[in-house]
Amino acid sequence: MTARAAISRDDRRVWLIIAAIALVSLLIIPFSQALFGLRFTYTVRVVALGGSFLGLISGALGCFAVLRRESLLGDALSHAALPGVAIAFLLAGRELSPLLIGAGIASWLSLRFVAALLATTRLKQDAALGIVLASWFAAGIALLAYIQSIPDASQAGLDHFIFGQAAAIIESDVRLVMGVGLIILCLLALLWKEFKLVTFDAEFAGANGIRIGLINTLLSTLIVVTIVLGLQLAGVILMVGMLIAPGVAARQWTHKLDQMVILAAVFGAFSGGVGAVISALDSDIPTGPTIIVVAFALVLLSLALAPGRGLLWSRLRQRSNRRAFAARNTLRNLYRYALAHGAVNAPVPDSFIRGVGDRGAALGLRELDGAGHVRLGEGGWRLSQSGVKLARRDIHNQQLWDTYRLYAHELALPNVAEDREREIASLLPAEAVAILEAKLAEGAAP
Amino acid sequence: MMQTRSNPALTVDDLTVAYREKPAIWDIDLDVPAGVLMAIVGPNGAGKSTLIKAVLNLIPRAAGAVSFFGEPYERARSLVGYVPQRGSVDWDFPASVLDVVTMGLYGKLGWFRRPGKAERDLALHALEQVGLVDFADRQISQLSGGQQQRTFLARALVQDAQIYFMDEPFAAVDAVTENAIVNILRQLNQRGKTVLVVHHDLQTVAEYFDWVTLLNVEVIASGPTLQTFTLENLQKTYGGRVSSLHGGQLLAASAQ
């Protein structure tokens, strides 16, 4: 039952984040209007819409790149699109669709090239990616330089594919992104379980008759298509950020693949839209980089704050662990000393307890004092009634753990990882603890 | 069914797999009768995992043919279950135990169909058999090594296969998990299934398995444990050190 409650708490958290993001997005429009006098002109609306849609698609697909540890492959693929743009321009002139098709072909060829390098040589993946990324990109830059030397004036703006140029986006581009994006999302929904299984365990998928090669190629092709769609906006260098940042951020908040993909899509759409709006404030703010900055702000927030996996969370947990540990150790020392000197509430000299406990002693004493388990009086520290009770309970718990270690197998008790800092009763079912208690009593009898 | 009874569960002919120039397994001939519990043993690098993967068409073969109950793999796929090595996947993947077990049914569902209530029930039943039903909603990143292994086993159980291939299911697991796995193996065996297990612990071969294949790139010997698992064969497989390493137990087995 507790497991079920925990699951629904997770679900609620995801919906809360989605609601918060939606709220912030809604507020940004009046906020930017009132504070910065931003006018939502036709151009701004088109760019913001294009940015959010692109972010949505790349966020959803990027999850798979992140989970397959192929983030860098995404980077290589987007860099590799540049020579395709240049060659397409030389062959077909400055029309968007041939340029994008050229980009897609170059990017896809680089994908096959990486695969071929890995299959036929002893290169490791990082080296293969480095080679392809640098050489394809260099070829692209060289071709662009050559194009610029041609006297024909129509080449202007081709280098915008390097960093992206949102202002150039027109309504038909957004329609293209939406149309292709819709197809990508449909494929993702239809082949959901195949993508999931191949990503988690390709060997098992293969043994179950799922065409791993086909699914892998399809997934990579979808990623290439997404990259190509984003080139105008984000450019070949930054596109990888749009692809992986939303997935990385989303992974922090959930343990379910479907929630992760939805959340990444929401994060991506938010970054795309908000980045576009911010960059519209001033013509000097570039759109692509701004979108990426927003996306990585979400990554930072998620890495810091997400419950369970976030930095803040683990820092807090560490601190409370350290306190509990110091308190427990100090209590044991006090109890042992007092027993050795006559009675459980015999005074323990302050200098002794600080001497044996080192730095932890001060922390432990403060904790115990605060909880009313010890009091400083004549001759030193004395355990209160609650302190004695706590010390006895701790010792009993340790004895139960000792018994568990010795007899768990013989008594066929459930297998749990030994964690002596915790009450054994919180880890084992009640029947098992009763069996241990009996065994302990039996052992103590003679 | 009659036909599947009369044919061996697995027939391997002249199977060779090479990584680069070096053969990983060489000219393997194997007949595994239906209904046996077979251990595949051999030293590190002997090609045990390679044999399983090649039989299941997961890696390219240089030569050779494989059939299951007289049928080629493509037609016998639904009869085959597989438990890969636990370390072969990323256990931080966002999925629950139930999710992973349900994956065992994806192949049967076919393209585009999604798992529903029936699949959920089957998966829960399999989790019950491996003693993990309370963990169904648990994240796989929170499992211990033994629990991971039992999750994989449950995923293979829902496949409801006739012949199972398990790659080192006993590697680095706790005693509870080892017992659970052995119980499952025996149950599968009683239900007439054939199970092939890559196994490392020579001490337990005679206790757990009624059939054994000794492998070191080539097949050294294959047959009923009592006749095959002898000191002589083990020395041929592992070299001379084996008698001093595992003395008592093995001598007892070869004396019988």
Side-chain angles (χ1 to χ4, degrees):
Chain A
M1 280 300 105
T2 51
R4 192 142 300 171
I7 291 296
S8 70
R9 198 172 57 213
D10 269 17
D11 294 352
R12 211 173 326 136
R13 187 198 298 153
V14 170
W15 289 117
L16 261 173
I17 294 168
I18 292 175
I21 293 267
L23 193 68
V24 173
S25 325
L26 283 181
L27 286 179
I28 272 182
I29 297 173
F31 185 75
S32 56
Q33 278 171 331
L35 238 69
F36 300 105
L38 179 68
R39 285 180 49 235
F40 279 82
T41 58
Y42 170 77
T43 319
V44 175
R45 287 201 307 261
V46 165
V47 174
L49 199 64
S52 355
F53 234 87
L54 183 69
L56 190 147
I57 300 155
S58 60
L61 265 184
C63 288
F64 289 94
V66 170
L67 289 173
R68 293 152 64 91
R69 302 177 181 181
E70 285 180 352
S71 306
L72 283 179
L73 181 64
D75 198 21
L77 293 184
S78 68
H79 277 77
L82 196 59
V85 173
I87 291 170
F89 174 80
L90 288 174
L91 294 179
R94 207 197 184 306
E95 282 282 318
L96 184 65
S97 35
L99 291 186
L100 291 188
I101 290 170
I105 291 174
S107 178
W108 201 80
L109 283 178
S110 80
L111 176 75
R112 305 314 303 171
F113 189 65
V114 170
L117 275 183
L118 290 176
T120 54
T121 68
R122 284 168 191 254
L123 284 181
K124 298 286 179 284
Q125 191 177 10
D126 58 334
L129 290 179
I131 289 169
V132 170
L133 187 153
S135 56
W136 248 253
F137 188 60
I141 295 284
L143 282 169
L144 284 192
Y146 167 70
I147 288 169
Q148 252 147 22
S149 71
I150 302 175
D152 188 350
S154 69
Q155 83 275 16
L158 216 52
D159 52 346
H160 286 312
F161 278 96
I162 299 177
F163 286 111
Q165 195 203 28
I169 286 177
I170 54 173
E171 202 183 312
S172 66
D173 300 349
V174 175
R175 260 200 224 114
L176 176 77
V177 171
M178 285 176 138
V180 178
L182 210 62
I183 297 173
I184 292 178
L185 292 181
C186 286
L187 279 172
L188 194 59
L190 277 176
L191 295 171
W192 178 258
K193 72 176 193 306
E194 283 79 12
F195 284 161
K196 182 177 178 178
L197 183 53
V198 169
T199 302
F200 175 63
D201 191 348
E203 270 180 8
F204 186 78
N208 274 272
I210 286 170
R211 307 266 302 274
I212 330 174
L214 185 68
I215 295 291
N216 275 334
T217 311
L218 193 60
L219 202 48
S220 311
T221 307
L222 291 185
I223 290 177
V224 167
V225 171
T226 311
I227 287 172
V228 168
L229 287 180
L231 286 186
Q232 261 197 304
L233 198 66
V236 298
I237 293 184
L238 292 175
M239 188 54 211
V240 65
M242 290 216 71
L243 201 60
I244 66 167
V248 170
R251 178 68 186 96
Q252 292 291 313
W253 298 97
T254 174
H255 291 297
K256 291 182 177 172
L257 185 61
D258 46 0
Q259 288 180 354
M260 178 179 168
V261 170
I262 292 171
L263 209 50
V266 171
F267 284 164
F270 177 81
S271 317
V274 172
V277 169
I278 293 177
S279 72
L281 294 175
D282 188 310
S283 61
D284 285 340
I285 307 178
T287 311
T290 312
I291 292 176
I292 306 294
V293 167
V294 174
F296 275 92
L298 287 176
V299 170
L300 280 183
L301 275 177
S302 307
L303 285 176
L305 298 180
R309 296 172 80 93
L311 285 174
L312 185 71
W313 185 272
S314 56
R315 188 56 62 84
L316 285 176
R317 199 168 37 204
Q318 257 172 28
R319 245 178 73 177
S320 86
N321 279 352
R322 199 165 55 222
R323 281 204 198 130
F325 184 72
R328 196 177 299 112
N329 262 347
T330 312
L331 182 67
R332 280 178 199 166
N333 288 337
L334 288 168
Y335 185 74
R336 234 176 273 150
Y337 183 96
L339 268 192
H341 291 77
V344 286
N345 57 356
V348 183
D350 186 61
S351 57
F352 169 79
I353 195 70
R354 287 185 194 276
V356 293
D358 210 18
R359 244 172 303 168
L363 185 60
L365 284 171
R366 206 177 323 134
E367 285 290 303
L368 292 170
D369 197 13
H373 297 319
V374 294
R375 226 170 302 116
L376 185 59
E378 194 74 16
W381 295 92
R382 284 169 196 271
L383 288 174
S384 69
Q385 252 177 354
S386 67
V388 173
K389 215 160 120 189
L390 197 65
R392 286 190 176 141
R393 207 164 119 191
D394 173 47
I395 287 174
H396 186 65
N397 186 41
Q398 297 303 317
Q399 286 173 332
L400 285 176
W401 274 118
D402 290 339
T403 318
Y404 179 75
R405 187 186 281 173
L406 278 171
Y407 298 107
H409 188 57
E410 184 181 312
L411 298 171
L413 296 175
N415 190 270
V416 292
E418 198 172 300
D419 184 357
R420 289 177 164 252
E421 302 307 316
R422 291 174 63 185
E423 294 266 337
I424 197 165
S426 71
L427 293 172
L428 283 174
E431 314 90 78
V433 178
I435 294 172
L436 275 180
E437 295 275 10
K439 189 77 190 172
L440 182 60
E442 175 189 311
Chain B
M1 264 291 110
M2 282 312 291
Q3 199 205 351
T4 56
R5 282 274 163 246
S6 56
N7 280 310
L10 173 69
T11 312
V12 180
D13 275 321
D14 301 333
L15 181 64
T16 295
V17 174
Y19 289 131
R20 312 218 175 268
E21 304 81 37
K22 223 178 105 209
I25 50 175
W26 180 254
D27 199 15
I28 303 286
D29 287 304
L30 208 55
D31 273 312
V32 182
V36 302
L37 209 53
M38 182 177 107
I40 303 171
V41 293
N44 288 332
K48 305 184 292 287
S49 297
T50 305
L51 172 61
I52 286 193
K53 285 178 192 167
V55 162
L56 295 179
N57 249 350
L58 294 175
I59 49 176
R61 305 166 182 163
V66 174
S67 64
F68 300 84
F69 303 103
E71 303 270 2
Y73 182 56
E74 286 67 30
R75 290 173 57 191
R77 184 131 44 197
S78 63
L79 304 176
V80 179
Y82 178 43
V83 180
Q85 283 186 21
R86 169 159 59 89
S88 65
V89 303
D90 173 15
W91 287 93
D92 197 34
F93 189 84
S96 68
V97 171
L98 191 67
D99 277 341
V100 172
V101 177
T102 312
M103 288 175 187
L105 295 160
Y106 283 8
K108 287 226 168 68
L109 279 171
W111 294 99
F112 310 130
R113 278 186 54 208
R114 283 161 176 274
K117 171 102 173 55
E119 283 74 26
R120 189 189 153 82
D121 290 345
L122 284 171
L124 282 173
H125 180 65
L127 278 172
E128 219 165 284
Q129 288 173 274
V130 299
L132 277 185
V133 75
D134 294 336
F135 288 70
D137 290 329
R138 192 75 71 93
Q139 290 314 310
I140 56 169
S141 57
Q142 297 169 356
L143 298 181
S144 72
Q147 290 162 347
Q148 292 173 355
Q149 192 64 62
R150 281 186 275 161
T151 304
F152 263 11
L153 202 60
R155 185 177 67 170
L157 288 179
V158 297
Q159 290 185 278
D160 193 28
Q162 290 302 317
I163 177 167
Y164 285 93
F165 293 83
M166 304 189 182
D167 202 346
E168 306 225 13
F170 293 105
V173 297
D174 53 88
V176 177
T177 299
E178 177 146 353
N179 281 336
I181 299 174
V182 170
N183 283 334
I184 296 286
L185 291 184
R186 295 203 170 125
Q187 279 173 31
L188 288 171
N189 188 237
Q190 275 161 18
R191 279 154 53 198
K193 316 279 188 183
T194 314
V195 188
L196 280 69
V197 180
V198 171
H199 195 54
H200 246 137
D201 183 9
L202 294 179
Q203 311 275 3
T204 50
V205 168
E207 183 189 344
Y208 294 165
F209 301 99
D210 57 10
W211 206 269
V212 68
T213 291
L214 296 162
L215 186 76
N216 192 349
V217 183
E218 299 169 62
V219 172
I220 307 295
S222 180
T225 308
L226 280 184
Q227 284 97 54
T228 313
F229 199 64
T230 60
L231 187 59
E232 194 196 346
N233 280 336
L234 278 167
Q235 281 176 339
K236 276 192 211 156
T237 314
Y238 286 85
R241 295 158 301 141
V242 75
S243 56
S244 57
L245 280 175
H246 299 280
Q249 289 265 336
L250 295 180
L251 284 174
S254 57
Q256 279 175 331

